[in-house]
Amino acid sequence: MRISEFFVLHKSDRQVILGFLGVAVVAVALMHLTGNQFEDVATEQLDSVFADSARKARPASYVGVGVATAVKAERFNFDPNTADSTQLLRLGLQPWQVRSIYKYRAAGGVFRTKEDFARLYGLTVKQYRELEPYIHISSDYLPAATLVARQSPAADTLPRRHKIAMGEHVVLNTADSATLRTVPGIGDYFSAEILRYGRRLGGYVSVDQLDEIANFPSEAKQFFIIQAPAPRLLNLNQLSLNELKRHPYINYYQARAIVDYRRQHGLLHSLSDLSLLPDFPSDAIERLQPYVTF
């Protein structure tokens, strides 16, 4: 018998082999199509919210697919704790940054200060400077203990405190909590806030600084006066970045600008040395003036 006879297939054998091959081709095709469908569905579920928001955020001049059109960032007041994806995209944030905010909030994270928002991954200094004036965080996101302090039922059982009359005054920098509570409109909560903010400032130099306390009743300012202010001074040539940014009038970027200036140019001699830096506009220098030394 010749070897070639081993490779000769009968007609029935060829039909069986062709049948198996046909079934295999159909199975591979079905697996390929099904895999693409699952992939498309997963991608659509992951990006549906942000894709829809991005479409809504496009300006009316958007041309369509295949045309590179820049989306102009809008500026409006927003709370990073409640803003939805459409609003965040309209502000100029990238979809992956919006996802980060959503994940942070879903995990129980809360933006309590503007500086908290500055920590958003990928946010540049320029973007933060542009957005900072529009960040308005609701008092609803203050610690719940502040609400208890203001609305505690036990306060109703205390004897009514004496309140000073119109024309009488309290010296803001020397008053203790009991004296502060004699001012009309000032109770336990705001007396504690006045003392706390005064410590952060290093002492008040103007009654108008009380307006910097969230939701402070402005009508109560008429009962305060400033006498012989002696604020605690910050030595801008000695303090570290972390020490500088603890003051309410110096944010992170300003503290870094001071440290960078010292490293590049040497000691500061006055705040006018910082006046050419973009982080120190004239109003920032003016309110910081009483609190610095060199």
Side-chain angles (χ1 to χ4, degrees):
M1 179 179 293
R2 290 178 298 176
I3 296 176
S4 60
E5 294 179 357
F6 286 102
F7 298 96
V8 176
L9 298 176
H10 295 289
K11 181 177 180 181
S12 60
D13 295 333
R14 289 198 298 271
Q15 290 176 343
V16 171
I17 293 173
L18 289 175
F20 277 119
L21 289 175
V23 171
V25 170
V26 172
V28 171
L30 288 175
M31 290 173 62
H32 179 71
L33 292 175
T34 305
N36 286 343
Q37 290 175 353
F38 286 146
E39 182 179 356
D40 292 342
V41 170
T43 302
E44 182 179 354
Q45 290 177 343
L46 180 62
D47 293 332
S48 60
V49 173
F50 298 101
D52 183 63
S53 299
R55 286 193 296 271
K56 294 178 181 178
R58 291 171 183 155
S61 60
Y62 181 76
V63 178
V65 178
V67 181
T69 305
V71 178
K72 184 177 180 181
E74 301 179 36
R75 293 293 174 258
F76 51 85
N77 294 338
F78 73 100
D79 185 339
N81 291 300
T82 56
D84 60 26
S85 59
T86 301
Q87 294 172 317
L88 294 171
L89 289 168
R90 286 169 55 201
L91 289 165
L93 298 180
Q94 297 299 316
W96 54 269
Q97 290 176 308
V98 177
R99 288 189 182 94
S100 295
I101 294 174
Y102 268 59
K103 289 180 181 177
Y104 177 72
R105 296 191 319 208
V110 175
F111 297 93
R112 300 189 187 280
T113 65
K114 295 182 179 182
E115 288 74 15
D116 289 342
F117 187 75
R119 297 188 179 93
L120 176 65
Y121 181 75
L123 191 69
T124 65
V125 173
K126 181 176 182 294
Q127 286 177 310
Y128 178 72
R129 286 179 185 151
E130 292 177 354
L131 292 172
E132 183 181 17
Y134 301 95
I135 301 173
H136 293 272
I137 296 176
S138 170
S139 58
D140 291 343
Y141 294 94
L142 291 172
T146 61
L147 181 64
V148 175
R150 296 175 67 179
Q151 300 182 355
S152 174
D156 296 335
T157 64
L158 297 175
R160 188 175 184 84
R161 297 187 181 97
H162 167 72
K163 296 290 185 179
I164 61 176
M166 189 68 67
E168 295 182 294
H169 297 93
V170 166
V171 179
L172 182 56
N173 279 321
T174 60
D176 58 17
S177 59
T179 304
L180 291 171
R181 289 196 295 270
T182 65
V183 175
I186 303 300
D188 293 338
Y189 173 76
F190 280 116
S191 64
E193 286 296 293
I194 291 170
L195 294 174
R196 183 191 64 82
Y197 193 60
R199 287 192 295 269
R200 290 187 62 205
L201 285 169
Y204 293 95
V205 296
S206 169
V207 171
D208 289 332
Q209 289 175 293
L210 293 173
D211 289 327
E212 297 165 13
I213 299 173
N215 302 316
F216 186 82
S218 58
E219 63 275 7
K221 292 194 302 178
Q222 61 186 309
F223 296 98
F224 292 101
I225 59 173
I226 298 288
Q227 287 184 352
R232 184 176 66 253
L233 300 180
L234 307 171
N235 192 321
L236 298 188
N237 287 320
Q238 295 180 358
L239 298 178
S240 67
L241 185 149
N242 285 332
E243 291 171 327
L244 288 168
K245 70 183 182 67
R246 289 173 188 161
H247 195 276
Y249 292 167
I250 303 178
N251 60 36
Y252 169 80
Y253 299 106
Q254 291 170 328
R256 190 172 67 180
I258 292 172
V259 173
D260 289 344
Y261 184 95
R262 291 188 330 217
R263 185 177 64 253
Q264 297 170 8
H265 305 287
L267 298 180
L268 291 156
H269 298 92
S270 69
L271 281 175
S272 60
D273 294 337
L274 302 173
S275 60
L276 296 179
L277 300 179
D279 292 292
F280 286 93
S282 58
D283 59 334
I285 289 179
E286 181 179 354
R287 68 176 186 168
L288 191 57
Q289 187 72 56
Y291 293 100
V292 299
T293 184
F294 305 93

